[in-house]
Amino acid sequence: MSTLPQSTLRRMPIYLHFLKTLRSGDNRNVSATRIASALNLGEVQVRKDLAQVADGGRPKVGYELTALISAIEAAIGCKDPTVAIIVGVGNLGKALLEFAGFEEFGLKVIAGFDIKQDVLSSDRGKPVLPIENIESFIKNNSVKLGILTLPNAAAQKMADKLVSGGIKAVWNFTQTHIVVPDTVALRNENLAASLALLNVQMKTQSECV
Amino acid sequence: MSTLPQSTLRRMPIYLHFLKTLRSGDNRNVSATRIASALNLGEVQVRKDLAQVADGGRPKVGYELTALISAIEAAIGCKDPTVAIIVGVGNLGKALLEFAGFEEFGLKVIAGFDIKQDVLSSDRGKPVLPIENIESFIKNNSVKLGILTLPNAAAQKMADKLVSGGIKAVWNFTQTHIVVPDTVALRNENLAASLALLNVQMKTQSECV
DNA sequence: TAGATTGTTAATCGATTAACAATC
DNA sequence: TAGATTGTTAATCGATTAACAATC
């Protein structure tokens, strides 16, 4: 159970979501075979992935459903919630601020920050605060994760502020390449990259037809 | 210039964005070395990536900037725009509908669709239309790409509608695994997977400190 | 010429797939 | 027992990195 390979880790949330839909049915056990066919994945791949986070898989029976769900939740770290803030409450920031789906994976977004006055103190349940107070807010609320959804130009400056406030991880939704210390985890969410893949895939597929 | 490896393709938009920022400065040429150090990538990796889409790299000089930009744009297919619609105009859908950044990569989102009456016909420049007309709309406007940002439960049903309308690609932002014919390109955008990676990375990094 | 940079060929690394033995 | 399923060991595949020759 040491450290999972990235590729395995990336599939865990997919398994988790599927297993939860099974649970709402009347299922007690589930086999790797079944998961694989439901999600269009290789049978061996699923089995190997599961073997890395769970044990107790029994031949002819499979895994106990609730135990497996619990094991995956532990592996991807959504048992104890990660407290997060959104920096930049534009359209995307607003969407992520209000997105309920994150809680399923242990993310607890508690506030948004912005410079613009007109988005401030909107009563959506989650407060939108002026950006000046961000460093003390991080400290006082032990915020672990900062989500950057602001204009490219401001990205690095705000990342620096987050770091000096003591943040542990940065999730960068801007196009800008940003730099953080080694002690801070960084992930770039690159929608453009996905789009490029899809674009090319689409074009080569229709050529073949 | 046949088909690029996925990994290479994924980095192209990152190069592209960086090169454009260089162009607004006073640069005529750029070397792989420079790109690599600016983006924290391996020098050889960048060189190999560029070699796959462009030629004309000259020792001691590098690549001609505008030619390189043009070559990358051609490779990732953002020269002729892809017409797209958004299905499900909730928070995320709204964000993507209004997101200007996609145009840089050749995506032209022309409309949103929803069942809810209150989001319909909002005058944000891009119309939000009732979902009943979606199939004929796809045909009449030669829409190539459908972006799914709706509740999980409706995902497969709407994907089917898109396909029967003649869509060429589906970009799925829901958690649900959906099935489309082989002739249709499909890409699942999995924010939960990214979150899981970040979560684990963060936890292991702080353990080490 | 010397040095920076290119492009290529070989070596390494990681992830996926295939083959098979173990077990309920 | 037979068959489905598990887990493991070996083979394949793709991507990254290292080493080096070519060139302006």
Side-chain angles (χ1 to χ4, degrees):
Chain A
M1 204 186 258
S2 55
T3 30
L4 299 176
Q6 289 243 335
S7 49
T8 300
L9 196 44
R10 184 183 295 274
R11 283 186 293 270
M12 285 298 156
I14 304 172
Y15 298 146
L16 185 56
H17 184 81
F18 172 68
L19 293 174
K20 283 182 176 172
T21 66
L22 279 188
R23 188 173 52 179
S24 42
D26 211 18
N27 302 277
R28 187 144 301 179
N29 294 292
V30 63
S31 70
T33 318
R34 180 161 176 200
I35 297 174
S37 79
L39 299 175
N40 276 346
L41 294 170
E43 200 174 314
V44 190
Q45 186 172 68
V46 174
R47 199 166 289 134
K48 218 166 188 181
D49 284 346
L50 297 186
Q52 279 174 101
V53 299
D55 39 26
R58 279 156 55 207
K60 185 121 166 133
V61 177
Y63 288 86
E64 213 243 308
L65 187 52
T66 55
L68 185 55
I69 289 175
S70 183
I72 293 178
E73 285 179 338
I76 66 179
C78 55
K79 288 258 168 161
D80 61 323
T82 302
V83 177
I85 55 174
I86 307 253
V87 185
V89 189
N91 287 309
L92 182 58
K94 217 179 292 173
L96 296 180
L97 191 59
E98 296 173 39
F99 182 48
F102 281 146
E103 308 225 335
E104 181 184 347
F105 299 101
L107 189 70
K108 207 175 161 189
V109 180
I110 61 169
F113 286 83
D114 209 293
I115 9 165
K116 287 228 194 90
Q117 282 298 330
D118 55 347
V119 296
L120 302 187
S121 71
S122 74
D123 52 347
R124 277 187 199 82
K126 288 169 186 171
V128 178
L129 307 169
I131 219 148
E132 289 82 39
N133 311 329
I134 200 165
E135 287 174 78
S136 57
F137 187 92
I138 292 170
K139 281 175 194 135
N140 296 337
N141 298 275
S142 32
V143 176
K144 294 290 187 303
L145 171 64
I147 302 175
L148 295 180
T149 51
L150 37 64
N152 288 322
Q156 181 65 61
K157 212 182 84 189
M158 285 312 302
D160 293 343
K161 263 203 166 188
L162 292 176
V163 168
S164 77
I167 211 100
K168 291 276 179 280
V170 174
W171 198 2
N172 178 25
F173 280 78
T174 76
Q175 280 286 315
T176 308
H177 172 79
I178 63 172
V179 180
V180 296
D182 278 354
T183 49
V184 175
L186 170 66
R187 204 161 169 81
N188 297 298
E189 199 64 38
N190 198 343
L191 289 183
S194 291
L195 179 58
L197 289 171
L198 187 58
N199 235 341
V200 171
Q201 192 186 339
M202 178 176 77
K203 270 158 197 174
T204 51
Q205 268 179 2
S206 34
E207 270 165 31
C208 299
V209 174
Chain B
M1 206 185 257
S2 56
T3 31
L4 299 175
Q6 290 244 335
S7 50
T8 300
L9 196 44
R10 185 183 295 275
R11 281 187 293 269
M12 285 299 155
I14 304 173
Y15 297 146
L16 186 56
H17 183 80
F18 172 67
L19 293 174
K20 283 183 176 171
T21 67
L22 280 189
R23 189 174 50 178
S24 42
D26 211 17
N27 302 275
R28 186 146 302 179
N29 294 292
V30 62
S31 70
T33 318
R34 181 161 176 202
I35 298 176
S37 79
L39 299 175
N40 275 345
L41 294 170
E43 200 175 313
V44 190
Q45 186 171 69
V46 174
R47 198 165 291 134
K48 218 167 189 179
D49 284 345
L50 298 186
Q52 279 174 102
V53 298
D55 41 25
R58 278 157 55 209
K60 183 120 169 142
V61 178
Y63 288 85
E64 214 244 306
L65 187 53
T66 54
L68 185 54
I69 289 177
S70 183
I72 293 178
E73 285 179 337
I76 66 178
C78 55
K79 289 258 168 162
D80 60 325
T82 302
V83 177
I85 54 172
I86 307 251
V87 186
V89 189
N91 286 310
L92 181 59
K94 217 177 293 171
L96 296 181
L97 191 58
E98 296 173 39
F99 181 48
F102 281 146
E103 309 225 335
E104 182 184 346
F105 299 100
L107 190 70
K108 208 176 159 188
V109 180
I110 61 169
F113 285 84
D114 209 293
I115 8 167
K116 286 228 194 90
Q117 282 298 331
D118 55 346
V119 295
L120 300 189
S121 70
S122 73
D123 53 347
R124 276 188 200 82
K126 290 172 184 170
V128 178
L129 307 168
I131 220 148
E132 288 82 38
N133 312 328
I134 199 164
E135 287 172 80
S136 58
F137 187 91
I138 292 171
K139 280 174 194 137
N140 297 336
N141 298 274
S142 34
V143 176
K144 293 289 186 304
L145 170 65
I147 302 176
L148 296 179
T149 51
L150 37 66
N152 287 321
Q156 181 65 60
K157 211 182 85 192
M158 284 313 303
D160 293 343
K161 264 203 165 187
L162 292 176
V163 169
S164 77
I167 211 101
K168 291 275 177 281
V170 174
W171 199 1
N172 178 25
F173 280 79
T174 76
Q175 279 288 315
T176 308
H177 172 79
I178 63 173
V179 180
V180 295
D182 277 354
T183 50
V184 174
L186 170 66
R187 205 163 167 82
N188 297 299
E189 199 63 39
N190 198 342
L191 290 183
S194 290
L195 178 58
L197 289 172
L198 188 57
N199 235 342
V200 170
Q201 193 187 339
M202 177 177 76
K203 271 159 195 173
T204 51
Q205 268 179 1
S206 35
E207 270 164 29
C208 300
V209 174

